[in-house]
Amino acid sequence: GFGYLSTSVDMYGMKDQATILNIPLQLGYNLPLGGICSLDIKTGPALNYTVAGKVTSGGEETKYKDIDGVKRFNAGWTIGASLLFYGIGVTAEYEAGLGENESGFLKLGLAVRF
C-alpha cells in the first residue's frame, strides 16, 4: 500500500510544512476477535519521499525546491495495529527513523479492509 502524509511543525517562530508519500513494506497478522471484530498487527520498513514542502520564517516563505541540501528521501521502521469492526476501523502506527538525526512519529487514521 501507500500513504499520503501532510505535516506542519511550528518551532521558534519558524513553520515547516511538508507533503510526504509513504510506502510501507509491512508484514502482518490478523487476529479474529469474534465474528465481527478483528485486530491486525503489522511491522516492517517504510520508505518516505517528500513531494513538496515549504519553510516560513519572519513572514518569508521558501519552498523546499529552492533550498540546497534538503533531504527528500528517508526510511523508517513501523509497528502498528488496526482494530476493525465489519472491515472498518481505526489504525495507529509508530514509525522510527532509521537514519542519523531522524525522529519518529505517530500516525493515526481510519482503516478499511476489502
Side-chain angles (χ1 to χ4, degrees), residues 1-3 5 20-25 44-50 72-78 95 98 107:
F2 67 94
L5 303 172
I20 302 166
L21 179 64
N22 176 257
I23 304 168
L25 306 170
L47 308 174
N48 300 301
Y49 180 75
T50 303
R72 287 175 148 323
F73 176 79
N74 67 26
W77 192 269
T78 61
E95 183 173 328
L98 294 177
K107 298 182 277 188

Side-chain angles (χ1 to χ4, degrees), residues 49-72:
Y49 180 75
T50 303
V51 178
K54 63 183 176 181
V55 176
T56 307
S57 179
E60 187 176 318
E61 183 179 288
T62 307
K63 295 187 182 208
Y64 277 13
K65 68 178 184 172
D66 299 328
I67 302 172
D68 289 335
V70 170
K71 186 175 179 184
R72 287 175 148 323

Side-chain angles (χ1 to χ4, degrees), residues 31-53:
L31 179 65
L33 301 174
I36 63 170
C37 184
S38 68
L39 179 66
D40 291 345
I41 302 168
K42 54 196 168 192
T43 188
L47 308 174
N48 300 301
Y49 180 75
T50 303
V51 178

Side-chain angles (χ1 to χ4, degrees), residues 78-98:
T78 61
I79 185 167
S82 300
L83 184 60
L84 303 165
F85 295 95
Y86 293 109
I88 299 172
V90 295
T91 187
E93 287 185 8
Y94 179 76
E95 183 173 328
L98 294 177

